[in-house]
Amino acid sequence: MSDTPEITPGEEGAPRESLFEAPVMGEQERMVEAILFASAEPVTVKELNDRMPHGCDAAEALAHLRKRYEGRGVHVVRVGDAWAIRTAPDLGFLMQRETVETRKLSRAAIETLAIIAYHQPVTRAEIEEIRGVSVSRGTVDQLLEMEWIRFGRRRMTPGRPVTFVVTQEFLDHFGLESARDLPGLADLRAAGLLESRPSPLGAPQTGEGDVDADEGMDEGQSELFED
Amino acid sequence: MSDTPEITPGEEGAPRESLFEAPVMGEQERMVEAILFASAEPVTVKELNDRMPHGCDAAEALAHLRKRYEGRGVHVVRVGDAWAIRTAPDLGFLMQRETVETRKLSRAAIETLAIIAYHQPVTRAEIEEIRGVSVSRGTVDQLLEMEWIRFGRRRMTPGRPVTFVVTQEFLDHFGLESARDLPGLADLRAAGLLESRPSPLGAPQTGEGDVDADEGMDEGQSELFED
Amino acid sequence: MSDPDTPDLVQLSVSERLAAEALVVDVDGFEGPLDLLLNMARTQKVDLRRISILQLARQYLSFVEKAKALRIELAADYLVMAAWLAFLKSRLLLPPDPTEEGPSGEDLAAHLAFQLERLQAMRDSAARLMARDQLGRDFFARGFPEKMEQVRRVKYTATLLDLMQGYARIRTRDEFRPFVMDRDKVFTMEQALDRMRGMIGFAGQWTDIQSYLPEGWAEDPVRWRSATAATFAASLELVKEGKAELKQSGTFEPILLRRKESRDE
C-alpha cells in the first residue's frame, strides 16, 4: 500500500450541467446560501469556489446573497477573508436559550487581548511594556486556547521574538469584518497611542525588559493594514 | 395557515416597543428566521410562540418564511411537529467532499491478478495451487469490483467450479491488446525480472504443472476474444 | 527617604492607618506599579494629558512610605518605580544642570504621561471591545451545522510492471520444485474444517486442539505449523458457527476445544 495517498478533489456528484458551463447566477447564489447555512464557521471565497461546480463565481454570488439578506433575521457577514451567516444582533433577546455560558475572562486577559488586537503583531515584551506588568503564561495560554489569538511572524530583531495576532475566531466573536474595524482604532492612531515611542533612558523598564520591544512596531502596524 | 399577512401597526426593529402590540408580521418573520437558524433542534410552533413577544403569531410568520425560502438554497422544512431550516435536497452534493485516494494493490491481489491473466480461465483452487497459499475472498472481490476480472465459464469438472478471466478494462488499464500480449516468462527473464537461473524443467511454460490451467488456456484466450 | 509630603510615621492616626491599609490591601487588585499610578492619576480628576507628574510622583512615594511604615512587603517592581519616581521628582524640582547628559526631567515625565495615557486608552478599548455584540451572546451561528461529509474513495491501481514482477515472483519461487510439493506441506483451513466437523460431535470434553492434527502432520515442523494454523483457524470458524467453545488458561498454554451443547438438538 502506498504511504502517500494522492488526494484529488472528486468531480463526481456535481450537477449534471455541462462541465464547461457554469450554473446560472441564481443557482450559484443558492449554492453559496446552502454552504453558508450549513457551516457554523466562516467559509472563505476560495473554499466556496472549491466546493461549487467548476466555473462558478462565488464572490459575485456572495454579493447577491448578502444583498438578499439585508434587513432579514439572519445576515451574511464578513469575517476577515471569510463569510458566515449570523443572526441579526437586534434579535439576540430571542436567543437566551442558545446562549452558551462562556468562561469569564480576567481583566488581565481582556487587556492583553485588546493590546494584541490594536497593536498586532505584538511581542510579549511590548504587551508588558504597555501594561507595565509581566504577562502571565496562563493569560496568553487562555487566549490561545480560545483561539482568539495566534502566533504571528517572528520579529526580525535580535532574539527573533514571536509576535501575537488576533484570529478569524476573534473577528467572528466580536462581529468584526477585519481588524481595521476595531472600535476607536482611528482615534487611537490619530492620538499617537498606537505608535511606538522609545522610552527615554532612565525610565523604568516594565515587564521583562526586551530591548527591541519598541523596534519593529511600525512594521507591525503596517502589516495590520496590509490586508 | 393564513397566507395573507396580518399587518399590525408597530415599529420596525423595536419588537419590545409595547407590551400589548405585537410586532409587525415582517418582524415576526425575522424572529422565526433567526430562531430556526440558531436552534440545534427543530422548533415547534408552540416553542416559537413562547419565545417570541406576546401577541405574535408564529404559525403565520412561519408560513411567510416558508414561502420566502421556496426555491432557495435552504428550505424551511417540517420535522415531526416541529420546523427547521435544511439544505435544499438538490444541493446535497455540496455537503460532500469526495477525495480519491490512489493506493497500490496489495501483493496478494497483484499475484492473484497475474495468475488470472497468465492462466485464464482459472479456478480459485488453481490460483491457490499456483500461489501456494489460499486466496482470500476479499482479494477476489476486490478485483471483481475493480472490474479487472470477471467470472468465466464454469469448468466442466466435478463441482463445476467457476473460473476467472481478465476483462477489457484490465487490458485497457495495462495497455494490452489481448492477454496474449502479456510478456512470457522468457521475456520476464530477459527483462531481468526473473532470476536467470535455469529451470530444472527447461523452458518455463505458463501454467506448467497445472494440468487444468494448461488445458483451458486456449479456450480461455478464445473466450476473452469472444466479447 | 525624607519627604515633606510623607506624614510622620509616629503621628499616623488609627484612621490613617486603616486608610493606608485599605490602600495596601488594594495593591493586590493592581496590576503592577503602572496600574497603581494610573489609578492615582485618576484622583487628580483632570485629563490624563494635563496630569501633574510631579504630584503623581509625590502620591506614589507617600504610598510606598505608608506601606513601609506598615511593614508591608511590596513587590520589587513597586520599589523600582518608587526609586525612579524619586529620581524624576528631583529632576523636575531642581533647575536643569546644563552639564548633565541624558533626557531632561520633562522628557521623562512626558514619557510616563504617555505610558499612562496609552494604558488608559487600551483599557477603554478593551471595554469597548467587550461591550460589542458577541457571538453566542448577542448574535448566533447556525445551531444545526450540517457536517461536510467526507466521501473517501480509494482507487487501487497497479502497473504492468507490478503485475509482471508479481508473476515472476511466483514463478521464480516455483522453478526449483514442483507444485505438488507445496500441497504436500500445506494443510488448508478447508481441510481442517472438514476434518473437525466430523470430529466435533465426539468432543464433549475439553481437548487440546493439537490432538485434532491429522495423522503424520506433527513430525515435520513445516507440516506441523501449517496443520496447527489450519486447525486453529477451523476451530475459530466452528466457534463462530456456535458449534464449539475454545479456552486457553494463559499465554502459550494449550488451547482447549469442546463441543458446544446446543439446546436445539
Side-chain angles (χ1 to χ4, degrees):
Chain A
M1 243 170 261
S2 153
D3 39 4
T4 44
E6 190 190 329
I7 309 286
T8 36
E11 227 132 62
E12 274 190 35
R16 49 269 123 204
E17 237 91 7
S18 143
L19 264 176
F20 306 101
E21 221 174 300
V24 295
M25 191 42 69
E27 264 317 287
Q28 296 190 27
E29 199 192 312
R30 288 183 70 228
M31 292 178 190
V32 172
E33 189 175 34
I35 295 172
L36 290 191
F37 259 89
S39 172
E41 270 93 56
V43 184
T44 63
V45 174
K46 189 188 170 306
E47 279 177 272
L48 286 170
N49 274 325
D50 285 352
R51 283 171 69 177
M52 287 161 70
H54 193 73
C56 284
D57 182 351
E60 196 192 329
L62 252 173
H64 289 296
L65 191 71
R66 201 180 189 190
K67 201 151 217 147
R68 184 182 293 273
Y69 277 93
E70 268 170 23
R72 298 271 298 275
V74 295
H75 294 161
V76 177
V77 298
R78 191 184 149 159
V79 183
D81 58 353
W83 297 81
I85 296 182
R86 298 286 179 255
T87 62
D90 68 302
L91 298 177
F93 71 95
L94 290 168
M95 307 293 168
Q96 268 101 5
R97 203 165 305 189
E98 261 66 56
T99 311
V100 187
E101 213 32 70
T102 43
R103 192 156 34 137
K104 261 258 186 267
L105 278 180
S106 67
R107 188 176 128 190
I110 292 171
E111 274 181 33
T112 303
L113 178 67
I115 291 168
I116 294 170
Y118 284 85
H119 290 262
Q120 66 171 348
V122 64
T123 65
R124 180 189 287 256
E126 287 158 0
I127 299 168
E128 293 178 339
E129 156 78 14
I130 294 169
R131 293 195 64 227
V133 69
S134 62
V135 174
S136 82
R137 179 154 206 100
T139 303
V140 173
D141 286 353
Q142 188 185 11
L143 295 173
L144 283 169
E145 200 189 311
M146 293 173 83
E147 300 191 315
W148 280 359
I149 65 167
R150 62 174 176 81
F151 293 107
R153 292 188 209 140
R154 280 183 185 275
R155 190 60 59 74
M156 284 307 163
T157 51
R160 306 195 33 146
V162 295
T163 61
F164 297 100
V165 293
V166 289
T167 61
Q168 180 181 281
E169 283 78 6
F170 167 86
L171 297 177
D172 194 15
H173 186 89
F174 292 100
L176 294 162
E177 292 211 347
S178 79
R180 258 174 293 218
D181 298 325
L182 283 164
L185 187 71
D187 293 342
L188 289 173
R189 191 169 324 105
L193 290 168
L194 298 182
E195 64 198 42
S196 88
R197 203 173 283 188
S199 77
L201 253 81
Q205 212 57 47
T206 41
E208 264 122 310
D210 179 337
V211 187
D212 314 298
D214 282 321
E215 251 179 77
M217 210 51 181
D218 292 322
E219 179 209 323
Q221 286 297 331
S222 62
E223 181 176 288
L224 178 61
F225 298 104
E226 254 165 38
D227 33 19
Chain B
M1 255 170 251
S2 154
D3 276 342
T4 41
E6 183 192 276
I7 306 295
T8 34
E11 242 171 275
E12 284 212 20
R16 283 196 279 199
E17 203 61 32
S18 152
L19 269 174
F20 307 102
E21 237 170 290
V24 295
M25 191 42 72
E27 255 331 279
Q28 296 190 26
E29 199 190 313
R30 290 181 73 228
M31 293 177 189
V32 173
E33 187 176 36
I35 293 173
L36 291 190
F37 173 84
S39 284
E41 256 125 57
V43 187
T44 63
V45 172
K46 186 184 173 309
E47 281 175 284
L48 284 171
N49 273 324
D50 287 351
R51 285 169 72 172
M52 287 160 69
H54 192 73
C56 282
D57 182 350
E60 195 189 331
L62 192 62
H64 287 296
L65 190 70
R66 222 183 155 190
K67 197 149 217 155
R68 190 186 286 275
Y69 276 98
E70 263 170 26
R72 304 292 319 155
V74 293
H75 293 161
V76 176
V77 298
R78 200 188 169 113
V79 182
D81 59 351
W83 297 85
I85 298 179
R86 294 284 183 268
T87 308
D90 68 310
L91 296 179
F93 72 92
L94 290 169
M95 304 302 136
Q96 299 187 339
R97 185 178 314 182
E98 195 185 35
T99 51
V100 180
E101 215 178 285
T102 310
R103 282 196 210 150
K104 271 244 188 275
L105 267 183
S106 68
R107 183 174 160 152
I110 286 177
E111 288 184 8
T112 304
L113 182 65
I115 293 167
I116 295 171
Y118 278 91
H119 294 262
Q120 65 171 357
V122 62
T123 66
R124 178 192 291 259
E126 289 159 1
I127 297 168
E128 290 179 345
E129 186 123 351
I130 296 167
R131 282 197 68 216
V133 286
S134 66
V135 174
S136 83
R137 181 162 203 93
T139 303
V140 173
D141 286 350
Q142 184 185 14
L143 294 172
L144 284 168
E145 203 188 307
M146 291 173 78
E147 303 193 312
W148 278 0
I149 65 167
R150 63 176 177 82
F151 293 111
R153 294 194 203 135
R154 281 184 183 277
R155 185 65 53 76
M156 288 303 165
T157 51
R160 301 188 30 114
V162 294
T163 61
F164 298 101
V165 293
V166 292
T167 63
Q168 188 60 47
E169 282 80 4
F170 167 88
L171 297 175
D172 290 346
H173 180 90
F174 291 97
L176 297 165
E177 292 267 316
S178 77
R180 260 186 291 233
D181 292 341
L182 277 168
L185 287 192
D187 303 322
L188 294 180
R189 181 170 287 116
L193 292 169
L194 280 185
E195 289 171 55
S196 34
R197 260 186 260 179
S199 158
L201 300 173
Q205 292 287 307
T206 50
E208 71 180 74
D210 188 344
V211 183
D212 271 83
D214 269 340
E215 210 182 287
M217 199 59 180
D218 291 327
E219 185 205 326
Q221 292 291 344
S222 58
E223 180 175 289
L224 183 63
F225 294 105
E226 264 167 28
D227 34 21
Chain C
M1 229 185 277
S2 68
D3 191 298
D5 292 318
T6 311
D8 196 343
L9 307 183
V10 202
Q11 284 164 7
L12 275 176
S13 71
V14 174
S15 62
E16 275 174 320
R17 285 178 78 102
L18 280 176
E21 252 169 43
L23 185 60
V24 170
V25 169
D26 260 1
V27 169
D28 287 339
F30 289 117
E31 304 244 355
L34 203 58
D35 185 28
L36 176 58
L37 275 170
L38 185 57
N39 270 274
M40 288 175 163
R42 281 211 206 90
T43 62
Q44 292 188 16
K45 295 193 166 77
V46 290
D47 187 327
L48 273 179
R49 296 195 168 213
R50 256 166 298 179
I51 196 90
S52 161
I53 292 295
L54 191 59
Q55 193 188 330
L56 190 62
R58 283 191 191 121
Q59 250 179 302
Y60 187 92
L61 292 171
S62 117
F63 157 79
V64 170
E65 283 307 312
K66 276 182 197 165
K68 273 187 182 165
L70 295 165
R71 293 165 195 274
I72 286 167
E73 293 255 352
L74 280 179
D77 47 351
Y78 284 85
L79 299 178
V80 169
M81 180 60 88
W84 185 79
L85 285 173
F87 163 75
L88 176 61
K89 206 179 85 180
S90 65
R91 275 269 173 123
L92 290 171
L93 290 173
L94 297 172
D97 178 355
T99 63
E100 192 141 16
E101 301 260 320
S104 69
E106 276 71 28
D107 291 341
L108 295 175
H111 186 70
L112 180 58
F114 167 74
Q115 281 183 295
L116 292 174
E117 197 190 345
R118 183 173 59 180
L119 180 58
Q120 185 59 52
M122 280 302 113
R123 293 242 158 108
D124 295 343
S125 299
R128 257 186 291 179
L129 190 63
M130 298 314 281
R132 282 185 72 85
D133 288 332
Q134 292 183 35
L135 179 66
R137 192 187 74 183
D138 306 294
F139 62 97
F140 295 83
R142 184 82 161 111
F144 181 82
E146 288 170 56
K147 282 202 194 73
M148 268 281 268
E149 208 183 319
Q150 280 282 358
V151 184
R152 252 170 103 223
R153 215 164 45 114
V154 180
K155 202 176 135 198
Y156 286 96
T157 188
T159 63
L160 188 57
L161 192 67
D162 295 327
L163 196 68
M164 285 157 55
Q165 279 174 332
Y167 191 62
R169 200 160 49 223
I170 303 164
R171 300 320 303 225
T172 321
R173 190 176 58 210
D174 298 336
E175 267 177 8
F176 305 100
R177 51 200 166 82
F179 277 126
V180 271
M181 291 297 286
D182 261 319
R183 207 63 170 164
D184 205 36
K185 299 214 176 191
V186 174
F187 192 62
T188 67
M189 183 184 146
E190 285 74 21
Q191 286 173 299
L193 201 54
D194 274 352
R195 187 176 158 81
M196 299 206 40
R197 277 193 212 286
M199 296 168 78
I200 189 70
F202 307 101
Q205 300 297 317
W206 287 110
T207 319
D208 190 339
I209 61 166
Q210 283 293 331
S211 60
Y212 289 89
L213 298 196
E215 296 272 326
W217 281 73
E219 292 75 30
D220 177 358
V222 179
R223 284 166 61 105
W224 174 81
R225 221 177 298 142
S226 172
T228 303
T231 303
F232 178 61
S235 305
L236 290 180
E237 187 61 33
L238 288 175
V239 171
K240 204 168 115 195
E241 290 171 9
K243 290 182 180 139
E245 293 175 298
L246 276 177
K247 76 169 181 186
Q248 187 181 27
S249 56
T251 316
F252 303 122
E253 292 298 311
I255 297 167
L256 305 178
L257 174 94
R258 80 168 174 200
R259 180 181 72 211
K260 184 162 183 176
E261 300 300 338
S262 167
R263 285 188 195 127
D264 307 338
E265 284 172 304

